[in-house]
Amino acid sequence: EVQLVESGERLVQPGGSLRLSCAASGFTFTRFSFNWVRQAPGKGLEWLSYIGEGGSSNIQYADSVKGRFTISRDNARNSVYLQMNSLRAEDTAIYYCVRDFNWVFDYWGQGILVTVSS
Amino acid sequence: QSALTQPRSVSESPGQSVTISCTGTSSDVGSYNYVSWYQQHPGKAPKLMIYDVTERPSGVPDRFSASKSGNTASLTISGLQAEDEADYYCCSYAGRYSWVFGGGTKLTVL
């Protein structure tokens, strides 16, 4: 069974940093790309970042997080990460780790609510 | 990276059909056959319903169908059931390993 489980700190002050982790299981991790997608409270989905099977050679960010967020992966740990710096109140959202198969977001994690507040 | 345009809400009676539109640009929907649709029930993660414009994953009822013409994609749900009431999001590949979502449509089954 495919599983994606997000974890990390859930509350951070404005200007602070946070790293989200996504532990994957139930499939061959190295064959897939991954994305992070977020959803602010009561709002729609927003694509944030992509990392290909090859890792750092294929990475992309949405303009809204470029320069502040960094995506990475550890194939030995079957994990994907999202390092988030210079956090703002508007970054408060549920963050989803999403598996990508041929440009299709086929499996989603359950999501983790990150709150940026003093 | 502007969001794709979807109607904010649609409603229809059980057993009827409803179509949700998703309008993008020649840089996303119009350029790629990588349009997908996601269903999201309250408090749940999104679920893939349609991919590659028209394809249904295993387990998705054939009441769900989709198409694309130019810069606009559409999702049609026929034989509406109470369980179809949810938020629906379209998504398109936009090139250079980036994607764009629609703003979401709340479907109410009357």
Side-chain angles (χ1 to χ4, degrees):
Chain A
E1 178 192 7
V2 173
Q3 284 197 319
L4 299 168
V5 180
E6 300 94 342
S7 62
E9 292 294 320
R10 296 168 183 264
L11 177 63
V12 63
Q13 293 188 343
S17 297
L18 185 58
R19 188 177 87 151
L20 297 180
S21 299
C22 170
S25 61
F27 60 96
T28 304
F29 183 79
T30 54
R31 292 183 180 175
F32 292 87
S33 304
F34 293 88
N35 294 263
W36 287 94
V37 174
R38 71 182 177 186
Q39 186 171 35
K43 302 296 184 182
L45 301 172
E46 178 188 15
W47 172 81
L48 297 180
S49 185
Y50 163 91
I51 186 165
E53 303 97 291
S56 58
S57 60
N58 288 318
I59 284 178
Q60 187 58 274
Y61 300 97
D63 289 344
S64 59
V65 302
K66 195 172 293 184
R68 297 190 301 128
F69 290 11
T70 302
I71 192 171
S72 61
R73 63 188 293 163
D74 184 339
N75 289 342
R77 297 178 183 273
N78 284 3
S79 293
V80 184
Y81 306 99
L82 187 67
Q83 176 69 41
M84 304 188 291
N85 299 331
S86 303
L87 285 162
R88 311 161 180 164
E90 53 265 38
D91 293 316
T92 294
I94 296 172
Y95 286 75
Y96 293 102
C97 173
V98 187
R99 193 180 81 166
D100 178 338
F101 180 65
N102 290 344
W103 310 142
V104 179
F105 298 165
D106 63 349
Y107 282 94
W108 297 59
Q110 83 285 355
I112 181 170
L113 175 61
V114 172
T115 301
V116 182
S117 174
S118 54
Chain B
Q1 295 180 341
S2 298
L4 307 176
T5 300
Q6 297 181 233
R8 298 200 70 164
S9 64
V10 296
S11 59
E12 190 51 88
S13 302
Q16 299 302 304
S17 296
V18 68
T19 296
I20 299 171
S21 62
C22 168
T23 301
T25 71
S26 58
S27 297
D28 38 62
V29 176
S31 285
Y32 304 98
N33 288 323
Y34 295 122
V35 177
S36 50
W37 290 87
Y38 301 88
Q39 176 192 65
Q40 186 180 35
H41 286 109
K44 300 294 186 181
K47 174 188 175 184
L48 176 66
M49 303 301 284
I50 296 286
Y51 67 97
D52 292 356
V53 179
T54 61
E55 302 300 308
R56 273 181 293 106
S58 174
V60 172
D62 59 6
R63 302 184 294 103
F64 290 82
S65 63
S67 62
K68 188 187 86 167
S69 178
N71 296 337
T72 298
S74 299
L75 172 71
T76 297
I77 310 170
S78 58
L80 275 170
Q81 300 181 4
E83 67 213 48
D84 299 333
E85 185 164 294
D87 293 326
Y88 291 85
Y89 293 90
C90 60
C91 179
S92 175
Y93 182 65
R96 296 186 180 182
Y97 307 115
S98 71
W99 281 259
V100 60
F101 282 95
T105 299
K106 180 178 180 61
L107 168 62
T108 300
V109 180
L110 300 170

